[in-house]
Amino acid sequence: MTYAFLARAGAASALALSASLALAAPRTDLTMGQQLEPPHLDPTSAAAGAIDAVTYANIFEGLTRFASDGSIIPGLAESWEISDDGLEYTFKLAEGVKFHDGTDFDAEDVKFSLDRARAEDSANAQKGLFEGITEVTVVDPQTVKVTLAAPNGNFLFNMAWGDAVIVAPESIETIKTNPVGTGAFRFENWVQGDSITLVKNPEYWGEPAKLEKVTFKFISDPTAAFAAVMAEDVQAFGAFPAPENLPQFDADPRFKVLVGSTEGETILAINNKLPPFDNVKVREAIAHAVNRQEVIDGAQFGYGTPIGTHFAPHHPDYVDLTGMSDHDPEKARALLEEAGVSLPIQVKMTLPPPSYARRGGEIIAAALREIGIEPQIENVEWAQWLETTFRGKDFGLTIISHTEPMDIGIYANPDYYFQYDSAEFQGVMDQLNLETDEAKRSELLKQAQEIIARDYVNAYLFQLPLLTVANAKIEGLWENAPTQAADMTGVYWTE
């Protein structure tokens, strides 16, 4: 009986130990807060950064990709060779890769994706990334050759964008609501207006994700975002929309606060073709009317770096041009008088949901009224902003943060939503695309910054910081955002 008792006791102890270990095992699910809900889930046919925030690296992958430090690393292409003349890129593709629907990934999918992106009828928001491609050739199932019309020092960088991910021909008809990629997570469910759920891809070709399930929860209201994180209904929230609450989270041992950088140039965008904003003096007046620091303090509670052009301050080629558009209301009034415009100027100002736009818009509108410009504020939802402001160009002023990586090239597109058309700027961009010498590229990038600052294309406000609040036990979140992404592939719980 003594032996039986000891055996039973030993078994009970083993069960207790097993249960204790099970209880101590790290969590494998995570709910990630996000302010903006994507309009759909095809990153190759829309400009919404919210799409990439969910899909980049998680669902879709490109030939190359951005690492957390902004460097370009292999993606679906495990290696590449560049011809001596810089015109041919031969990519060796990773082996054993399957799409989430079980179909094989091969060179034909790369050709399909790049040809689709550069087609005349392409809906890709960044068609400029593919303009230099003259031909995509399938060498064999694991090798694809891309031929360019001219050398392009940015080509591998361009292929890392979310707009350049590889998609399967078989999934195109339903890609917007049922995305099928090659990434570490599969799309599972979308509850419109609430959340998107991804689950671990058990057949992922690369290093598997540590989490079994990720739910992106969409909470647009800053007060609701604060409540959700505080209640731990949301375990992490990237681009947290209520910076005024960060000190409270920082003082709570349950949480950690990450303050990093993004590629997001936050601007008061101006419709350059809409009179009287087609007059550079009027645009310059707007720039001098705005007090950047007031916007940073009032809308961002001090988080943000002032900028004077469309370029990230952490980039080594950044030029500080904030002095060209310093706060000077008297100069702004004089410029409007020189322009000969009738005051007051009535103008539609559309403001999308992010708090930097809504809060910043009120501050900027008050400053513009002091010089005789009367903004008529229209708060719009994200889908409406994309449809009417971005695509329809139905606006005079708007506030938005451009979070694409090193995207100054958008100013070379006269049809882009702010409709700036400069042959001088376009010439500099053409030279930049052909140039491979780093010193010469640096000089061209500085020229480009100076041109758009001098033309007062937009009023440049601040570089958007990445403010993340997370459970203290979560590791692997990106502190900085070299692209528009909430990359969950390396995220895990410590206990």
Side-chain angles (χ1 to χ4, degrees):
M1 289 183 65
T2 302
Y3 175 80
F5 172 78
L6 290 173
R8 287 195 298 273
S13 297
L15 286 170
L17 179 60
S18 176
S20 175
L21 289 172
L23 288 172
R27 287 181 62 169
T28 58
D29 68 297
L30 186 146
T31 300
M32 182 78 180
Q34 185 170 306
Q35 189 176 25
L36 297 178
E37 181 173 15
H40 58 73
L41 294 174
D42 177 12
T44 66
S45 65
I51 301 175
D52 277 358
V54 173
T55 65
Y56 188 87
N58 299 324
I59 297 176
F60 291 111
E61 300 173 299
L63 292 173
T64 59
R65 61 158 293 178
F66 292 103
S68 60
D69 63 358
S71 60
I72 305 300
I73 60 175
L76 289 170
E78 62 181 22
S79 63
W80 48 83
E81 293 180 1
I82 307 172
S83 62
D84 291 340
D85 61 6
L87 297 180
E88 292 182 353
Y89 285 70
T90 302
F91 294 95
K92 189 67 177 176
L93 306 179
E95 296 187 8
V97 181
K98 289 184 178 293
F99 285 98
H100 298 151
D101 60 2
T103 57
D104 291 328
F105 158 79
D106 59 25
E108 292 287 354
D109 297 304
V110 177
K111 177 175 172 57
F112 169 80
S113 299
L114 296 183
D115 285 349
R116 172 175 174 260
R118 68 192 185 95
E120 188 174 335
D121 61 350
S122 168
N124 196 293
Q126 300 293 342
K127 288 182 71 173
L129 298 174
F130 314 96
E131 279 181 354
I133 298 175
T134 60
E135 188 177 11
V136 182
T137 307
V138 173
V139 178
D140 60 50
Q142 299 307 125
T143 312
V144 65
K145 182 173 70 176
V146 180
T147 304
L148 306 181
N152 186 341
N154 263 352
F155 186 66
L156 294 175
F157 176 89
N158 292 348
M159 292 300 97
W161 281 48
D163 306 80
V165 296
I166 306 304
V167 296
E170 299 87 352
S171 68
I172 290 302
E173 292 302 317
T174 57
I175 189 173
K176 291 186 175 182
T177 55
N178 183 32
V180 174
T182 58
F185 292 95
R186 293 187 293 104
F187 170 78
E188 183 176 74
N189 187 40
W190 186 356
V191 180
Q192 296 278 347
D194 181 72
S195 62
I196 289 173
T197 301
L198 311 182
V199 294
K200 183 176 180 177
N201 175 12
E203 298 182 353
Y204 183 54
W205 63 276
E207 183 176 348
K210 297 175 175 66
L211 296 172
E212 295 289 334
K213 182 170 76 169
V214 175
T215 300
F216 288 90
K217 179 78 171 176
F218 307 116
I219 306 173
S220 61
D221 179 68
T223 303
F226 169 75
V229 178
M230 188 60 71
E232 300 185 65
D233 296 330
V234 169
Q235 291 88 51
F237 206 120
F240 188 70
E244 66 272 23
N245 296 136
L246 294 184
Q248 188 171 345
F249 286 117
D250 208 25
D252 190 326
R254 294 179 299 158
F255 306 106
K256 59 183 172 184
V257 174
L258 305 177
V259 179
S261 63
T262 77
E263 295 297 310
E265 290 82 20
T266 309
I267 63 175
L268 173 64
I270 305 171
N271 190 335
N272 281 228
K273 273 196 173 179
L274 180 71
F277 307 113
D278 55 349
N279 185 326
V280 66
K281 291 184 183 295
V282 175
R283 299 197 300 271
E284 184 179 356
I286 290 173
H288 285 295
V290 175
N291 186 327
R292 292 187 187 90
Q293 198 58 50
E294 278 189 4
V295 178
I296 293 170
D297 292 341
Q300 290 287 116
F301 291 81
Y303 293 99
T305 304
I307 56 173
T309 189
H310 198 109
F311 213 76
H314 54 260
H315 193 285
D317 294 322
Y318 174 73
V319 181
D320 184 359
L321 300 171
T322 51
M324 292 180 64
S325 51
D326 59 329
H327 181 228
D328 190 340
E330 287 303 317
K331 185 173 184 178
R333 294 187 188 95
L335 283 162
L336 290 177
E337 187 173 343
E338 287 177 34
V341 295
S342 299
L343 300 178
I345 298 170
Q346 304 290 331
V347 58
K348 179 194 288 189
M349 176 190 279
T350 59
L351 301 177
S355 50
Y356 67 75
R358 297 277 171 89
R359 293 170 174 175
E362 296 291 345
I363 296 167
I364 289 172
L368 292 179
R369 290 183 185 113
E370 290 184 9
I371 67 165
I373 296 176
E374 294 285 341
Q376 311 301 311
I377 291 178
E378 290 187 12
N379 290 333
V380 296
E381 293 309 308
W382 188 234
Q384 185 183 354
W385 187 92
L386 287 168
E387 185 61 34
T388 60
T389 301
F390 183 79
R391 284 190 284 269
K393 305 177 181 66
D394 181 16
F395 77 105
L397 304 171
T398 190
I399 299 176
I400 195 67
S401 191
H402 285 259
T403 50
E404 298 88 355
M406 206 175 76
D407 60 348
I408 194 169
I410 59 180
Y411 287 75
N413 178 6
D415 195 45
Y416 203 64
Y417 76 103
F418 42 69
Q419 302 187 93
Y420 169 65
D421 191 354
S422 165
E424 181 187 10
F425 184 87
Q426 291 157 21
V428 169
M429 284 293 105
D430 288 342
Q431 291 180 61
L432 181 68
N433 287 335
L434 296 174
E435 188 57 68
T436 56
D437 180 85
E438 286 304 316
K440 293 178 180 177
R441 286 180 60 81
S442 176
E443 184 56 38
L444 289 166
L445 283 169
K446 290 173 182 176
Q447 287 181 37
Q449 294 172 63
E450 290 164 357
I451 292 169
I452 61 173
R454 186 188 67 219
D455 285 349
Y456 297 92
V457 183
N458 297 305
Y460 303 102
L461 304 175
F462 59 89
Q463 195 70 13
L464 188 72
L466 181 60
L467 307 175
T468 301
V469 180
N471 187 291
K473 298 175 182 177
I474 295 173
E475 296 292 340
L477 293 166
W478 280 9
E479 182 171 343
N480 302 311
T483 190
Q484 319 172 91
D487 183 346
M488 309 304 292
T489 59
V491 177
Y492 62 96
W493 291 86
T494 56
E495 59 179 86

